[in-house]
């Protein structure tokens, strides 16, 4: 990696390091991820998250390992409506597998960080009876036996361990108030823990970098309703494993009950977790309660973000230079597109009340975000504002984006059609094209 690439990458990730510090993440590792050689790298990255001040609850599953254990013991797995039926013999195998998995994760986090960026880091890994279970009971005449569900989460106990700088490790076995052990799904444990802790994220892993669309591309962001519709026609195939489907179902409940974001990334790709959390575009699929982007009016605290956005275009002569003082006076005229606390687009509406007109100005979209027509979103918002104010015309001046304005219904007009005050300020040396849209 060249020095400039290293510096650029570090600078781009810095806002996310600050944004994530002090937040609570529930990381769910399914059995498929545990069995893959990349598992060690994922644990190293989890340790790195912890070192950056992120509170981590690590929930593990062991679905394929349990199936292998049952097969070796000559026990045929039994299911009803996709849920494992756990008799006493099955539970013995599950306990063995879950216990071995827990010790393996503990050993790796305790001993296998040598020769990694986390060498000599002190990891305090904590497990305990933070989940109280209850039986699933009988459904359609089928007794689920020792398959259970979450009854209660000891959120205070979990919070104490996190506040003491521990990583909490939780598995799929939990006890009931009567002292029995029950087999739970890792997805339910992760979901209920995240809800009770008011966690900021749940992160799950699949064999693809998120959810794959019809054209083979990764779907970057989905709402719970979108996932619900997709699950109606989704089948387990090369692109969608049993664990992925289970995680998607869990993410719907998590988002609807207050967890802002659920992330699905690949356990096959080295560093996928870090790329998802510390880069602008991410690498996997987010399931969000609301869009990661929002359109809002600018405030005085946005001056720095706007300046960072417009300065490169001012230096190229594409935009007329605005001072910080000028921006402070005009800030109420600006609308922003914000993503993850980063200003990625802006535009302004300057009023010319005496001419019953407004100027659409300072339209800028960050170079990394020019593929989703955010300029049109800003324009439509400004048009709406102009109509509410009763303006009859919106005009714009540009030296480079003439065709864009024409495509959006503007027409080229003469200088004489500008509002009187704007006409007096027109720069004949700059020779900007004047475009107008009748409202």
């Amino acid at each position: 990696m060249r020095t400039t690439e290293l510096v650029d990458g570090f600078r781009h990730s810095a806002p996310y390091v600050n944004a994530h510090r002090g937040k609570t993440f529930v990381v769910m590792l399914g059995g498929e991820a545990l069995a893959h050689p990349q598992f060690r790298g994922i644990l190293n990255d989890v340790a790195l998250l912890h070192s950056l001040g992120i509170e981590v609850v690590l929930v593990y599953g062991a679905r394929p390992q349990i199936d292998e254990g049952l097969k070796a013991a000559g026990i045929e797995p039994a299911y009803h409506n996709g849920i494992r039926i756990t008799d006493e013999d099955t539970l013995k195998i599950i306990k063995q597998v879950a216990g071995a998995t827990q010790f393996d994760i503990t050993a790796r986090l305790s001993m296998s960080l040598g020769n990694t960026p986390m060498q000599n880091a002190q990891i305090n890994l904590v497990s305990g009876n933070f989940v109280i279970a209850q039986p699933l009971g009988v459904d359609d005449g089928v007794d689920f036996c020792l398959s259970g569900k979450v009854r209660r989460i000891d959120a205070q106990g979990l919070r104490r361990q996190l506040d003491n700088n521990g990583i909490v490790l939780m598995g799929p076995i939990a006890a009931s108030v009567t002292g029995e052990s029950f087999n739970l799904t890792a997805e339910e444990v992760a979901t209920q823990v995240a809800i009770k802790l008011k966690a900021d994220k749940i992160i799950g892993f699949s064999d693809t970098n998120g959810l794959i669309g019809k054209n083979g591309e990764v779907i970057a962001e989905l709402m719970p309703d979108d996932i619900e519709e997709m699950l109606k026609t989704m089948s387990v195939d090369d692109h969608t494993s049993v664990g992925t489907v289970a995680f998607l179902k869990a993410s719907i409940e998590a988002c609807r009950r207050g967890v802002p974001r659920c992330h699905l990334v690949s356990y096959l790709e080295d560093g996928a977790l870090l790329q998802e959390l510390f880069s602008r575009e991410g690498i996997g699929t987010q399931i969000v309660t609301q869009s990661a982007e929002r359109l809002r009016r600018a405030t005085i605290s946005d001056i720095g973000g706007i300046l960072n956005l417009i300065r490169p275009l001012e230096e190229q002569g594409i935009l007329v230079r605005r001072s910080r003082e000028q921006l402070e006076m005009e800030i109420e005229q600006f609308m922003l597109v914000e993503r993850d606390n980063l200003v990625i687009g802006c535009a302004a509406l300057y009023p010319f009340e005496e001419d019953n007109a407004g100027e659409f100005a300072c339209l800028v979209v960050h170079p990394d975000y020019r593929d989703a027509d955010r300029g049109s979103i800003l324009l439509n918002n400004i048009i709406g504002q102009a109509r509410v104010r009763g303006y009859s015309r919106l005009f714009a001046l540009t030296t480079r984006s003439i065709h864009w304005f024409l495509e959006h219904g503007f027409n080229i007009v003469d200088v004489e059609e500008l509002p009187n005050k704007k006409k007096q300020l027109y720069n004949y040396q700059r020779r900007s094209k004047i475009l107008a849209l009748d409202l």
Side-chain angles (χ1 to χ4, degrees), residues 24 159 193-201 258-260:
T24 302
R159 180 56 62 195
V193 166
I195 291 168
K196 294 300 181 183
L197 283 178
K198 295 181 171 57
D200 300 278
K201 296 179 187 292
V259 179

Side-chain angles (χ1 to χ4, degrees), residues 286-347:
Q286 290 189 83
I287 299 94
V288 297
T289 52
Q290 59 184 4
S291 176
E293 292 184 15
R294 62 179 180 137
L295 181 68
R296 64 171 177 84
R297 191 170 296 280
T299 67
I300 199 72
S301 63
D302 296 311
I303 296 290
I306 295 174
L307 286 172
N308 289 337
L309 196 62
I310 67 178
R311 278 292 182 253
L313 297 185
E314 291 177 346
E315 291 169 358
Q316 297 172 43
I318 297 173
L319 287 180
V320 176
R321 182 172 288 275
R322 290 170 171 81
S323 67
R324 175 177 285 271
E325 292 73 19
Q326 182 182 353
L327 267 178
E328 288 177 356
M329 291 186 293
E330 299 174 348
I331 194 64
E332 292 183 357
Q333 318 298 343
F334 277 79
M335 294 297 297
L336 305 179
V337 178
E338 182 185 63
R339 182 183 181 91
D340 293 332
N341 299 316
L342 175 73
V343 177
I344 64 169
C346 70

Side-chain angles (χ1 to χ4, degrees), residues 20-207:
H20 295 329
R21 185 178 292 115
K23 299 298 175 62
T24 302
F25 295 177
V26 176
V27 179
M28 206 217 82
L29 280 167
E32 295 84 359
L34 297 176
H36 194 271
Q38 188 53 43
F39 171 52
R40 177 176 177 176
I42 294 172
L43 285 186
N44 290 342
D45 291 344
V46 168
L48 178 57
L49 296 184
H50 179 255
S51 76
L52 293 173
I54 297 168
E55 298 179 332
V56 178
V57 177
L58 186 58
V59 180
Y60 68 89
R63 191 175 287 112
Q65 290 87 344
I66 290 170
D67 285 340
E68 288 179 10
L70 292 174
K71 183 179 180 181
I75 300 172
E76 185 69 28
Y79 294 87
H80 177 66
N81 290 335
I83 301 172
R84 189 190 300 276
I85 298 171
T86 309
D87 59 19
E88 290 187 5
D89 290 337
T90 298
L91 186 63
K92 289 178 182 178
I93 301 299
I94 294 174
K95 284 181 175 180
Q96 293 171 9
V97 172
T101 303
Q102 178 169 327
F103 280 118
D104 189 34
I105 293 173
T106 302
R108 286 174 183 264
L109 274 174
S110 300
M111 302 294 292
S112 65
L113 297 179
N115 300 318
T116 78
M118 294 306 300
Q119 187 169 355
N120 298 323
Q122 182 64 43
I123 305 296
N124 182 24
L125 199 63
V126 181
S127 298
N129 59 336
F130 301 112
V131 178
I132 299 299
Q134 63 183 9
L136 281 175
V138 179
D139 180 51
D140 294 331
V142 177
D143 189 347
F144 284 105
C145 301
L146 296 172
S147 289
K149 60 182 179 180
V150 173
R151 177 178 181 178
R152 188 167 63 246
I153 301 289
D154 180 9
Q156 290 185 343
L158 284 169
R159 180 56 62 195
R160 281 195 297 271
Q161 300 304 325
L162 295 173
D163 290 344
N164 286 332
N165 201 35
I167 294 178
V168 178
L169 178 62
M170 307 179 74
I173 301 291
S176 70
V177 292
T178 60
E180 296 176 282
S181 295
F182 287 92
N183 174 36
L184 312 180
T185 67
E187 291 81 11
E188 189 201 5
V189 173
T191 300
Q192 296 305 318
V193 166
I195 291 168
K196 294 300 181 183
L197 283 178
K198 295 181 171 57
D200 300 278
K201 296 179 187 292
I202 300 177
I203 302 163
F205 292 83
S206 71
D207 54 359

